[in-house]
Amino acid sequence: MCPYALLVKLNIPPSVRHFSMQPAVVVEKLAKNYKDFLALDNISFAVPQGEIFGLLGPNGAGKSTTVRILATLLAPTSGSAFVAGYNVQNNPFAVRRSIGYVPQEQMCDNYLTGRENLWLQGNLYHMDYTAIQQRIRELSALLELEDALDKITKQYSGGMKKKLDIASGLIHRPQVLFLDEPSLGLDVSTRLKVWEYIRRLYQEGITILLCTNYMDEAEKLAVRIAIIDHGKVAVIDTLERLLAQVGGDVVTLELENSVGPSRNGFEDELKKLAFVTKVLARENSLNIFLQYDETVLPQIMRAAGNFYVPIRKLTFSRPRLDDVFLKYTGHRLQEEGT
Amino acid sequence: MNHSLQEIGALTRRWFIHLSREPVHVMFALIQPLLWFALFANIFSRVARGSQFGNVSYPTFMTASALALTVVGNSLMGGIPLLMDKELGFLNKLLAAPISRNSILMSRFLFVNAVNWMQMTIILLVALLMKVHLETGAAGIVLLYLLGALLGIGVTFISLALAFLLHSHAEFFAIVGFINLPLVFVSSALIPVSLMPIWLAWLAKINPLTYAIDGMRAMIIPGWQAQPIWLIFFALVLFDAICFLISARIFRRNLG
């Protein structure tokens, strides 16, 4: 048993057991070029053992490229990466033994039953007969797969297939699990289920690197988050601190199209208000980051009245990861590609 | 070593499960060689006779061709499942596992060869029903299977290499369809090389299929010796070695 598993077994709380442990994943100045396209631009981060680390960013930001390098499927152009202490380029076999890889595409063999898929996977990790059997029992209980285990996977629903993919990534008890867009294409209730399973895995002490372009997925699951955009890491921190950094609460004003020059005066006036920390102007809207108290909304409305700025809609929201994303990348995640 | 066996065993088992889950596939795998044989054995049966054809019935003459062509046809398709795995991304899952890359290829060779031998057996059984007499007995039959394996290995190498070079199975089928026909006509499958025009005879002499068929014929027809047996085995081993050398580079580049 590795020392880490021992700490889990002894019920040592995560905050203590992660202290002084070598990180499960270390990425140092990793870059990847495809001809003239720079997919990864010197990204660096580290994932402590036993943590769910979220890589959050739009499609094409470089998340899958990162994971494919970490899973030894792709060679980086420059930089280095370590998984479970092994260099992905110098020691790929040791890395492969330590990881479970669940790519975003559906990965089970459609002609095989669930059980046959898991058997194949177990044999590829050189497990013996009883170990595979026991692990299939555990995983099918954990992921609620028992009833479907002996059906051919061609007949599985999308959610079932994803569960089987996750199970087959876990069959050999990897130290690190790479989950690339685990809830892509799943319906809402299946998605919630999958999240619940991921939290269960976290409680078992496995390190998870989660790639996602869903804000809520990162918010619900990740302990720490790296926001990545255009192949660069924009910011890395714990969820709480990221949320604290956006300057508390946000008021969003939707303006009429025909606001005109009075808008500039309005923006300047807003910036003068003591409680406002930042004003982000967009074509038809203003995002006002502020410290909330009861006087805030009336003051904003008064300023709007003074400058004759017609407001179509006002939204007040507590900070969300989306706002963090906006602050660090200058655009919202959902806008990408729409 | 134990690890390799476990990997190869599990991967090969996967191909057999695929075969068993597609009854239509199994049916064609069984019927196709019969169809070849029935057509080949009869098409020229009224014109092709005499000493050039070994003084035997045309079905006897064609048994070797049916065996070899079945091996070639089946082995040429040997790369398709890997191409599918590549297209679907399943190959990535295999490559992310701590297995030897050779195990993936080896499982294909074992499976393709097993199916080849199964089909050869069917053809031989039907040949017996058609009163084809196997002159050389048990030892000859063993050599027939060995020749089938030597031919199949080289062709499977080509097919697996194509699976990594090409991007889609549509491309694959187009190229394989293009290779197949000239390969058959520029060989001793339909008529002996000695009856071909000079230029065709020359081409046939560099076609590995000619050697496999002549070798098999020597096992079936008494006194048939278009080429010395040692030359036949030498040519087929050389063919396998060349295919290995060319495709090994392609495998290394694509399997890392």
Side-chain angles (χ1 to χ4, degrees):
Chain A
M1 186 183 287
C2 75
Y4 185 75
L6 189 68
L7 293 184
V8 174
K9 197 126 206 161
L10 293 173
N11 261 328
I12 308 290
S15 51
V16 177
R17 70 188 187 221
H18 297 155
F19 189 70
S20 86
M21 286 283 167
Q22 69 163 350
V25 178
V26 177
V27 169
E28 279 168 359
K29 293 190 179 151
L30 207 59
K32 178 70 189 175
N33 285 55
Y34 293 104
K35 294 202 175 107
D36 50 354
F37 174 67
L38 189 59
L40 283 184
D41 188 0
N42 280 312
I43 70 163
S44 303
F45 63 84
V47 182
Q49 298 210 15
E51 183 174 291
I52 302 187
F53 186 87
L55 273 182
L56 175 69
N59 292 333
K63 297 172 306 219
S64 293
T65 305
T66 308
V67 170
R68 287 168 55 82
I69 291 173
L70 292 174
T72 75
L73 294 173
L74 198 65
T77 309
S78 65
S80 54
F82 300 83
V83 177
Y86 303 109
N87 187 314
V88 294
Q89 282 184 287
N90 302 341
N91 208 345
F93 264 79
V95 171
R96 285 172 198 146
R97 260 193 293 274
S98 326
I99 62 166
Y101 173 50
V102 185
Q104 51 182 298
E105 314 90 46
Q106 177 252 119
M107 265 307 124
C108 23
D109 183 327
N110 271 330
Y111 289 99
L112 271 51
T113 64
R115 194 186 297 278
E116 286 164 344
N117 265 296
L118 294 172
W119 267 104
L120 173 64
Q121 194 72 6
N123 276 304
L124 297 185
Y125 287 84
H126 312 122
M127 297 165 70
D128 65 32
Y129 184 89
T130 40
I132 298 179
Q133 244 185 350
Q134 191 201 340
R135 193 66 179 143
I136 290 179
R137 260 200 307 275
E138 285 170 16
L139 287 170
S140 54
L142 179 80
L143 299 169
E144 295 165 31
L145 269 169
E146 286 113 329
D147 297 336
L149 218 46
D150 290 306
K151 284 194 193 125
I152 292 177
T153 47
K154 206 178 257 176
Q155 303 160 1
Y156 279 25
S157 65
M160 272 299 190
K161 283 181 177 169
K162 185 49 84 177
K163 289 202 279 186
L164 182 61
D165 283 342
I166 294 176
S168 79
L170 288 169
I171 189 108
H172 57 295
R173 300 181 184 279
Q175 282 187 55
V176 187
L177 182 67
F178 297 132
L179 286 175
D180 196 354
E181 303 285 357
S183 66
L184 192 73
L186 300 182
D187 61 51
V188 178
S189 62
T190 317
R191 208 164 163 225
L192 293 175
K193 277 265 180 203
V194 168
W195 287 355
E196 192 193 317
Y197 300 135
I198 295 174
R199 268 192 294 264
R200 279 187 212 170
L201 296 175
Y202 170 64
Q203 275 149 17
E204 293 201 340
I206 185 172
T207 309
I208 300 176
L209 182 66
L210 170 79
C211 293
T212 182
N213 65 49
Y214 296 118
M215 207 61 78
D216 45 348
E217 190 160 81
E219 264 180 6
K220 289 273 159 43
L221 296 174
V223 180
R224 280 190 319 139
I225 292 169
I227 290 182
I228 126 168
D229 195 32
H230 298 298
K232 283 188 180 142
V233 173
V235 61
I236 306 178
D237 218 326
T238 60
L239 181 62
E240 290 79 20
R241 266 187 286 181
L242 283 177
L243 293 178
Q245 271 174 38
V246 275
D249 310 294
V250 185
V251 168
T252 304
L253 302 179
E254 264 183 47
L255 309 176
E256 291 294 338
N257 292 334
S258 52
V259 177
S262 60
R263 173 170 162 169
N264 294 333
F266 176 51
E267 280 173 30
D268 291 339
E269 182 70 16
L270 285 176
K271 283 175 190 160
K272 277 182 217 148
L273 295 172
F275 56 83
V276 171
T277 51
K278 186 172 175 181
V279 177
L280 246 176
R282 306 175 63 72
E283 200 179 337
N284 291 323
S285 65
L286 288 175
N287 294 293
I288 308 163
F289 297 86
L290 43 76
Q291 298 298 326
Y292 183 77
D293 65 61
E294 303 81 71
T295 68
V296 159
L297 291 179
Q299 289 191 65
I300 291 175
M301 298 315 278
R302 198 174 307 132
N306 291 344
F307 287 89
Y308 304 104
V309 173
I311 292 169
R312 198 195 283 157
K313 188 176 162 194
L314 180 149
T315 3
F316 168 69
S317 55
R318 314 279 332 175
R320 292 206 54 200
L321 207 41
D322 199 20
D323 305 307
V324 182
F325 196 89
L326 177 65
K327 177 177 168 181
Y328 282 98
T329 65
H331 61 92
R332 286 197 182 273
L333 186 57
Q334 276 84 354
E335 287 166 4
E336 205 67 17
T338 56
Chain B
M1 190 60 204
N2 263 345
H3 279 182
S4 299
L5 289 181
Q6 189 179 9
E7 293 160 10
I8 295 169
L11 291 166
T12 311
R13 184 162 173 265
R14 174 176 173 231
W15 306 125
F16 278 106
I17 296 175
H18 279 200
L19 187 67
S20 70
R21 296 277 151 81
E22 291 214 297
V24 179
H25 210 120
V26 178
M27 211 175 70
F28 274 106
L30 296 180
I31 289 177
Q32 204 204 18
L34 296 183
L35 201 67
W36 274 118
F37 191 48
L39 293 175
F40 278 138
N42 292 300
I43 186 161
F44 296 130
S45 59
R46 284 169 170 240
V47 289
R49 36 186 90 219
S51 62
Q52 299 275 21
F53 289 88
N55 280 323
V56 289
S57 69
Y58 194 66
T60 308
F61 177 78
M62 286 307 292
T63 303
S65 315
L67 290 170
L69 293 180
T70 302
V71 167
V72 169
N74 187 46
S75 305
L76 266 179
M77 293 300 153
I80 285 284
L82 273 193
L83 184 55
M84 296 292 206
D85 276 356
K86 192 175 85 171
E87 283 180 288
L88 293 173
F90 194 86
L91 189 62
N92 276 337
K93 181 164 157 173
L94 297 181
L95 294 180
I99 58 170
S100 158
R101 279 50 189 136
N102 291 335
S103 297
I104 302 174
L105 301 171
M106 190 55 95
S107 73
R108 285 309 299 165
F109 279 103
L110 287 177
F111 174 76
V112 169
N113 194 61
V115 175
N116 284 345
W117 279 356
M118 234 161 58
Q119 294 184 323
M120 285 178 72
T121 307
I122 294 167
I123 293 176
L124 286 173
L125 289 175
V126 174
L128 288 177
L129 287 179
M130 291 174 76
K131 304 214 167 59
V132 171
H133 194 64
L134 299 176
E135 282 299 317
T136 48
I141 291 178
V142 171
L143 284 179
L144 271 181
Y145 282 99
L146 187 59
L147 287 165
L150 285 176
L151 178 64
I153 287 171
V155 178
T156 307
F157 267 124
I158 296 174
S159 181
L160 291 174
L162 281 177
F164 287 108
L165 282 181
L166 303 178
H167 300 291
S168 72
H169 57 278
E171 259 177 35
F172 189 98
F173 285 122
I175 288 185
V176 165
F178 178 78
I179 297 177
N180 215 342
L181 206 60
L183 201 65
V184 172
F185 278 90
V186 187
S187 78
S188 58
L190 303 174
I191 61 163
V193 176
S194 55
L195 288 181
M196 290 181 182
I198 297 289
W199 67 275
L200 256 180
W202 272 105
L203 287 177
K205 289 258 182 187
I206 54 168
N207 184 349
L209 191 52
T210 300
Y211 293 87
I213 291 173
D214 281 342
M216 289 177 173
R217 232 163 240 163
M219 302 302 141
I220 296 169
I221 304 173
W224 180 274
Q225 217 188 26
Q227 334 253 6
I229 284 292
W230 70 264
L231 178 65
I232 284 167
F233 275 93
F234 175 77
L236 287 175
V237 170
L238 184 70
F239 166 62
D240 290 346
I242 292 171
C243 291
F244 166 76
L245 287 176
I246 295 171
S247 44
R249 297 181 49 156
I250 296 166
F251 297 149
R252 213 169 306 133
R253 206 172 324 131
N254 289 280
L255 289 172

